Amino acid sequence: MVKVRNKRAQSITIWVILALALVAAMALFFTIEIGPEISIGSDKEFDAKRVVQTCIEDTIQETIERMIPHGGFIDDSNSIEYNRINISYLCLNKGNYLPCISQHPTYINDLKKEISENSEDKIEKCFQNMKIEAEKRNFDVVLGEMKIDIGFAINRVFVDIEREVKISKQENAETFNEFKFEIINPLYNLALIASEISNEEAKTCYFEYVGYNILNKETDIRKTTLDEGTKIYSIKDKKSEKEMNIAIRGCAIPAGI
C-alpha cells in the first residue's frame, strides 16, 4: 500500500515538474516571438528620431526668439535702429502728410518664410550630427531631400519636416518620413496685433492702443514717436514677457510745423 502511494506521489511530482517546464518554455517562447520589438533607430543608448527632433525644436525656438524683438525679421534692410536694435517697418511712407504703405501685405506668411529660411541650415546640421553619431554606433544612415512647413495658431508654432531617413544595421532597417511637433510661443498672437496696428495706421494714420490695452488684458502696447515721424509700437505678451517691436511711418509732419 505504501509503495502504491509512493508511486502515485512520484507520478504527481513528475507531472508538476513537466507542467512547470511547459509553462516556462511557453513564457520564453512568447518573450522571444511576440515581445516588444526594439526599434533599430531608437535603442536605449541612441534614439535617432528623438535626437533630431530635440535639435530642431531648439533651432526653431532660437530663430523665433531672434525674430520677435525686431518685428519678425532678423536682417531687414527696411528698418530703423531704436534702443540698439533694428526694428522693421511694417508700414512706411518716407514722405510727409500721406498715409503709410504696407511693407508686408502677406505678413503672416512672410513670418513663416522667415522661420524656414533662418532655420534651414541649422536643421540640416541637426540631421548631419545625428548621422555622425549613428555611424559611430555602426548604423548606416541615408538622408533624402528636406521640406520644411511652418504653421501658426494661438500660442503655437507648428513644425512639419518631410524627409526620408533610412537607418540600418546589418539586416535590420527602419525608415522615418516625417518629423511633426509644436512649439509653445506667442509669435502668432503678437503678429496678429502688429498686423492690426499696421492696417489701422495705413487707413487712418492712427491706432487706439490705450483703448486696446483696456479691452485686452493679455497684452500691453506702448507707443514711442521719434523726431523724424516714426512710431515705434512695443507689443508685450504679459504671460511670456516676450515683446515685439514694429516701426510705422505715415502722415508725418515736417519738423518745425
Side-chain angles (χ1 to χ4, degrees), residues 80-146:
I80 185 172
E81 184 176 345
Y82 175 71
N83 280 350
R84 298 182 180 180
I85 62 172
N86 289 328
I87 301 173
S88 294
Y89 278 104
L90 294 196
C91 197
L92 173 66
N93 190 322
K94 294 182 179 180
N96 298 313
Y97 305 114
L98 297 176
C100 63
I101 301 169
S102 175
Q103 304 299 292
H104 296 279
T106 57
Y107 182 53
I108 300 300
N109 286 330
D110 290 349
L111 294 181
K112 295 177 184 179
K113 185 178 179 181
E114 185 78 2
I115 294 173
S116 296
E117 290 182 348
N118 285 278
S119 303
E120 187 172 7
D121 289 345
K122 291 183 179 180
I123 291 174
E124 177 63 33
K125 192 172 182 179
C126 290
F127 281 101
Q128 294 299 331
N129 287 342
M130 178 277 291
K131 187 174 186 291
I132 291 170
E133 289 301 315
E135 289 173 346
K136 287 180 182 178
R137 293 168 169 80
N138 298 316
F139 290 99
D140 292 319
V141 180
V142 178
L143 302 175
E145 296 296 320
M146 180 170 65

Side-chain angles (χ1 to χ4, degrees), residues 203-215:
K203 288 189 294 185
T204 66
C205 301
Y206 179 74
F207 178 75
E208 179 47 65
Y209 71 96
V210 176
Y212 192 96
N213 285 336
I214 293 172
L215 295 175

Side-chain angles (χ1 to χ4, degrees), residues 177-213:
N177 293 299
E178 194 173 36
F179 300 80
K180 295 181 69 171
F181 51 92
E182 63 182 61
I183 293 172
I184 306 300
N185 193 285
L187 172 63
Y188 183 58
N189 313 31
L190 297 171
L192 289 177
I193 298 171
S195 183
E196 185 175 349
I197 293 172
S198 177
N199 291 338
E200 287 299 314
E201 284 279 359
K203 288 189 294 185
T204 66
C205 301
Y206 179 74
F207 178 75
E208 179 47 65
Y209 71 96
V210 176
Y212 192 96
N213 285 336

Side-chain angles (χ1 to χ4, degrees), residues 18-84:
L18 289 174
L20 291 173
L22 180 61
V23 170
M26 290 178 65
L28 180 61
F29 172 80
F30 284 109
T31 300
I32 295 174
E33 295 297 324
I34 62 173
E37 181 182 350
I38 298 176
S39 173
I40 191 73
S42 56
D43 56 34
K44 291 182 179 179
E45 296 181 357
F46 185 70
D47 185 335
K49 188 170 185 179
R50 187 58 197 162
V51 166
V52 171
Q53 183 160 314
T54 300
C55 181
I56 294 172
E57 287 177 1
D58 292 342
T59 296
I60 297 291
Q61 191 74 270
E62 179 187 343
T63 298
I64 295 171
E65 294 302 310
R66 292 174 61 201
M67 290 167 55
I68 288 177
H70 304 281
F73 303 96
I74 296 173
D75 295 312
D76 189 357
S77 58
N78 191 17
S79 60
I80 185 172
E81 184 176 345
Y82 175 71
N83 280 350
R84 298 182 180 180

Side-chain angles (χ1 to χ4, degrees), residues 141-231:
V141 180
V142 178
L143 302 175
E145 296 296 320
M146 180 170 65
K147 179 184 176 183
I148 303 172
D149 185 40
I150 303 295
F152 292 143
I154 297 300
N155 291 318
R156 298 286 191 278
V157 176
F158 299 106
V159 183
D160 184 359
I161 297 178
E162 295 180 10
R163 187 172 204 178
E164 186 175 77
V165 179
K166 293 182 180 179
I167 301 179
S168 59
K169 179 186 281 189
Q170 297 176 351
E171 296 179 355
N172 298 315
E174 187 171 10
T175 300
F176 306 122
N177 293 299
E178 194 173 36
F179 300 80
K180 295 181 69 171
F181 51 92
E182 63 182 61
I183 293 172
I184 306 300
N185 193 285
L187 172 63
Y188 183 58
N189 313 31
L190 297 171
L192 289 177
I193 298 171
S195 183
E196 185 175 349
I197 293 172
S198 177
N199 291 338
E200 287 299 314
E201 284 279 359
K203 288 189 294 185
T204 66
C205 301
Y206 179 74
F207 178 75
E208 179 47 65
Y209 71 96
V210 176
Y212 192 96
N213 285 336
I214 293 172
L215 295 175
N216 298 272
K217 302 299 184 182
E218 297 83 7
T219 55
D220 179 35
I221 303 174
R222 288 170 287 111
K223 182 179 75 172
T224 302
T225 302
L226 307 182
D227 291 340
E228 45 75 51
T230 293
K231 302 172 188 176

